[in-house]
Amino acid sequence: MIEPVQLPAPWRDARLTVVVPTYNEAGNLPVLVERLLALQLPGLRILVADDNSPDGTGEVADKLAIEHPDRIEVVHRPGKEGLGRAYVDGIGRALDGGADYVAQMDADLSHPPEALPGMLGALLSTQAGVVIGSRYVPGGELDENWPLYRRALSGWANLYVHTLLRVRIRDLTAGFKIWRADALHDIGLERVQSNGYSFQVEMHYLATKLGHTILEVPIRFEERREGASKMTTATKIESALMPFRLRSKHRNIER
C-alpha cells in the first residue's frame, strides 16, 4: 500500500466527492470506505450509487452512511442499468451537492484510495480538467495476479480506441480519475450516451474534443479481492461499437 501524499492547506480541504458505483460489492465496500475516510482530506465526501445489489450492498452502504452521516450519501437506483448510467447519476448528484472536484473509482479495491491526495495535488497544481490514475504511463503497474486475458483485452481495447479516435491518452479505459467540476459542466452529462464501460472512453473523448487538458499519473492497479468482474458480452459489444458512434455523434461538438 502506498503512503498518501500530505497536501498543504487549503488544498487538503477541497470539496471532493468520490462517486462509487456498486453492484454486489458488500464485502469490499466497508474496506474501501475505511481507507477513504482515513485520508487526510477533511473535505472528502463519498457518494455510493447502488444498482439494487442482490447481495445487500445497498444495506451495507446505508449502515455506513448512518455511521458517517456528514460524509457518506447513498443513492439507491432501481436496478442494474450499466456503469455509465450509474456514473451519470452519481456525478450529477455530486455536482448538485456543491462538489468542486469529483472522483471516480471502482468499489472492488482495484484502485488505491491512497493515490487520491497525490492525484488531487496534481490537478490543483496544473490547469488540467481531469487527472487519470493510469496503468500505462511510466511507473504504472498491473497486479501480477491480473489474468492474462484481461491484460490482453485491456491492451487491445486501448490500441483499438486510439486507432479510431486519435485521443492522446495511454489509459483510455481507465476508471480512476478526478475531474474539475467546471470540466464536467462543460462536457455536459446529458451528452453522454454510454451505458457500460465505454463511458470512460466517451468522457475522455468529449474532454479532448472540448480542449481540456488530461493528465495521467501512475498507479498500481490491483486485482479485485472479492466478487466477480461485471464485464459481460453485451458490454464488450457496446465498447467495440462505441468509438464509431462517438465519431459520428460528437463530430461537431462545441463549447
Side-chain angles (χ1 to χ4, degrees):
M1 188 181 300
I2 66 171
E3 189 70 24
V5 171
Q6 299 300 311
L7 295 178
W11 287 8
R12 63 172 172 259
D13 300 318
R15 292 189 297 177
L16 169 66
T17 297
V18 182
V19 178
V20 183
T22 57
Y23 187 78
N24 287 350
E25 298 288 358
N28 290 322
L29 186 61
V31 180
L32 175 62
V33 166
E34 180 181 7
R35 289 170 65 180
L36 283 170
L37 295 182
L39 300 174
Q40 297 302 306
L41 297 174
L44 183 147
R45 302 291 182 270
I46 303 168
L47 192 152
V48 179
D50 184 67
D51 277 2
N52 197 21
S53 299
D55 75 340
T57 302
E59 290 79 3
V60 171
D62 285 338
K63 291 179 182 177
L64 292 167
I66 291 171
E67 294 172 11
H68 308 279
D70 297 326
R71 303 197 70 182
I72 300 177
E73 177 183 355
V74 183
V75 176
H76 293 280
R77 293 164 44 77
K80 191 176 182 183
E81 299 176 338
L83 183 72
R85 293 303 93 197
Y87 264 131
V88 167
D89 192 353
I91 292 173
R93 290 171 186 263
L95 293 173
D96 290 343
D100 293 321
Y101 308 95
V102 179
Q104 298 175 225
M105 68 186 307
D106 293 344
D108 61 8
L109 304 176
S110 59
H111 300 146
E114 294 76 20
L116 278 173
M119 291 168 63
L120 180 60
L123 187 69
L124 290 168
S125 61
T126 66
Q127 297 301 311
V130 57
V131 170
I132 296 172
S134 176
R135 299 164 287 186
Y136 301 130
V137 294
E141 297 181 74
L142 286 171
D143 191 321
E144 57 274 9
N145 294 318
W146 213 40
L148 182 60
Y149 81 92
R150 292 289 303 278
R151 292 171 181 261
L153 178 62
S154 177
W156 176 85
N158 273 280
L159 176 62
Y160 173 75
V161 176
H162 272 296
T163 302
L164 291 175
L165 299 182
R166 305 294 182 184
V167 178
R168 294 183 178 180
I169 305 173
R170 294 201 181 195
D171 199 346
L172 267 165
T173 59
F176 187 31
K177 65 200 80 170
I178 303 180
W179 295 90
R180 289 184 186 272
D182 57 0
L184 291 169
H185 285 301
D186 193 29
I187 288 170
L189 295 174
E190 70 280 356
R191 285 189 174 118
V192 180
Q193 301 297 310
S194 303
N195 292 326
Y197 288 85
S198 56
F199 169 82
Q200 314 293 4
V201 174
E202 184 170 11
M203 291 292 285
H204 295 153
Y205 183 65
L206 287 167
T208 299
K209 291 282 284 184
L210 290 167
H212 292 283
T213 298
I214 299 174
L215 179 64
E216 293 182 85
V217 299
I219 64 160
R220 175 178 169 82
F221 182 88
E222 302 285 350
E223 174 65 307
R224 69 161 44 246
R225 295 188 182 182
E226 294 187 28
S229 170
K230 312 303 187 299
M231 184 75 72
T232 64
T233 299
T235 298
K236 294 174 184 176
I237 293 172
E238 183 202 20
S239 298
L241 295 175
M242 184 54 66
F244 296 99
R245 295 174 181 166
L246 292 179
R247 287 199 307 185
S248 174
K249 179 176 178 56
H250 300 310
R251 187 184 307 273
N252 300 314
I253 188 173
E254 296 179 352
R255 281 181 169 156

